[in-house]
């Protein structure tokens, strides 16, 4: 839950008083055009940025007052994840597990299961430096799940993934949500948001312009067509289209 969440950089307002309430086991999408404040919002929710004012509560723990306890309950996958190239996939996962104090007897079993699930079982002992972008994304996802987080935050999670891997990721996130894990993701791909998300918020210029299920967004935008049309109508798309027509 986030209440009155702003982020200021001097006089520039990156995020302006956002309120969010996301339920247990929900897949929640964060949508918006470039520069809308999506990544800034996610970084505040996971404790990487401190909000100028307001409050953030994760699984009943205040992120501002008890940041370490709150972070122990979450996982965050940035759009450009960092890995240590001189570690193998298995070593990196074990390293992250150590940061979360996962018992050693659980790490071996769980890491093997997750690496195999993501199709990395036969590459688990290869150095990460030889992995493609998509494979590196998978390693980071395995590491994010190793401590069984209550909430997973993902920033553009399907970037660089082939269609099969993207489908696998969607299926895994849905299974996690069905078991009670909350999933919060930002994406530019509206088709993914429409297929995956139970609810979503559309942010523009640092403010919430709409929030709800796809059906509720249709009502708020007075649109009966696609999610793309709703998105464009709420974030200035028609004006952009008019400009394009004048220039053509």
């Amino acid at each position: 839950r986030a209440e009155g969440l702003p982020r200021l950089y001097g006089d520039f307002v990156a995020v302006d008083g956002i309120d969010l309430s996301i339920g247990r086991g929900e897949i929640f999408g964060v949508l918006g055009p470039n520069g809308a404040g999506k990544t800034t919002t996610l970084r505040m929710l996971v404790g990487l940025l401190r909000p100028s004012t307001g409050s953030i509560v994760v699984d009943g723990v205040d992120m501002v007052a008890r940041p370490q306890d709150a972070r122990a309950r979450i996982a965050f996958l940035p759009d450009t994840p960092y890995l240590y190239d001189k570690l193998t996939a298995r070593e990196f996962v074990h390293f992250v597990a150590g940061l979360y104090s996962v018992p050693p007897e659980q790490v071996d079993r769980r890491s093997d299961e997750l690496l195999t699930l993501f199709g990395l079982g036969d590459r688990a002992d290869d150095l990460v430096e030889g992995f493609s972008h998509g494979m590196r994304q998978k390693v980071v996802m395995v590491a994010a799940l190793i401590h069984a987080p209550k909430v997973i935050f993902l920033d553009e999670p399907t970037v660089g993934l082939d269609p099969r891997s993207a489908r696998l990721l969607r299926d895994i996130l849905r299974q996690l949500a069905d078991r009670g894990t909350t999933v919060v993701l930002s994406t530019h791909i509206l088709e993914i948001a429409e297929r995956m998300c139970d609810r979503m918020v559309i942010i523009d210029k640092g403010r919430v312009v709409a929030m709800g299920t796809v059906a509720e967004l249709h009502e708020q935008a007075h649109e009966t067509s696609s999610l793309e049309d709703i998105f464009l109508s709420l974030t200035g798309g028609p004006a952009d289209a008019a400009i394009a027509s004048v220039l053509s």
Side-chain angles (χ1 to χ4, degrees):
R1 185 176 68 252
E3 295 181 353
L5 203 64
R7 177 66 188 186
L8 308 178
Y9 294 95
D11 294 331
F12 175 70
V13 181
V15 175
D16 188 6
I18 285 180
D19 295 324
L20 297 174
S21 181
I22 305 169
R24 189 180 305 276
E26 185 175 18
I27 299 182
F28 188 85
V30 181
L31 311 180
N34 291 332
K38 301 188 303 299
T39 296
T40 299
T41 298
L42 285 187
R43 290 182 178 273
M44 285 192 289
L45 293 176
V46 301
L48 291 177
L49 287 176
R50 189 181 183 91
S52 302
T53 58
S55 65
I56 301 169
V57 177
V58 179
D59 194 36
V61 179
D62 190 308
M63 176 65 76
V64 176
R66 297 166 54 196
Q68 188 168 343
D69 290 342
R71 291 190 190 111
R73 290 163 163 76
I74 68 176
F76 175 48
L77 278 74
D79 55 346
T80 53
Y82 180 81
L83 293 89
Y84 296 104
D85 284 348
K86 297 305 180 182
L87 295 181
T88 67
R90 190 189 309 276
E91 288 170 341
F92 180 78
V93 173
H94 279 239
F95 167 72
V96 174
L99 297 177
Y100 286 98
S101 301
V102 180
E105 63 274 11
Q106 294 183 22
V107 176
D108 289 335
R109 174 184 55 79
R110 189 166 175 79
S111 62
D112 286 344
E113 290 175 351
L114 289 169
L115 287 166
T116 300
L117 178 63
F118 279 90
L120 295 171
D122 59 343
R123 302 291 302 274
D125 297 308
D126 292 353
L127 292 178
V128 170
E129 66 179 358
F131 285 8
S132 67
H133 176 78
M135 293 173 67
R136 294 166 74 94
Q137 287 280 79
K138 291 180 182 180
V139 173
V140 173
M141 188 67 189
V142 170
L145 295 174
I146 194 66
H147 66 292
K150 300 291 186 181
V151 188
I152 302 175
F153 295 88
L154 307 100
D155 194 1
E156 300 291 347
T158 58
V159 171
L161 296 183
D162 59 69
R164 181 177 179 276
S165 297
R167 175 60 182 270
L168 173 64
L169 177 61
R170 293 200 301 269
D171 291 345
I172 290 173
L173 292 178
R174 174 48 64 186
Q175 290 178 27
L176 289 169
D178 290 343
R179 295 174 184 175
T181 302
T182 300
V183 178
V184 182
L185 62 93
S186 75
T187 180
H188 284 94
I189 306 175
L190 299 181
E191 180 184 6
I192 289 177
E194 192 162 14
R195 287 185 177 182
M196 288 184 60
C197 297
D198 302 309
R199 288 192 306 135
M200 60 194 77
V201 61
I202 299 178
I203 299 174
D204 189 31
K205 299 176 182 176
R207 296 183 177 183
V208 172
V209 295
M211 182 162 50
T213 64
V214 172
E216 290 168 343
L217 292 179
H218 279 289
E219 293 180 5
Q220 294 175 47
H222 307 292
E223 290 280 350
T224 58
S225 48
S226 67
L227 179 60
E228 180 182 34
D229 292 328
I230 296 171
F231 180 88
L232 292 175
S233 70
L234 292 170
T235 60
D240 295 339
I243 293 172
S245 67
V246 170
L247 297 176
S248 62

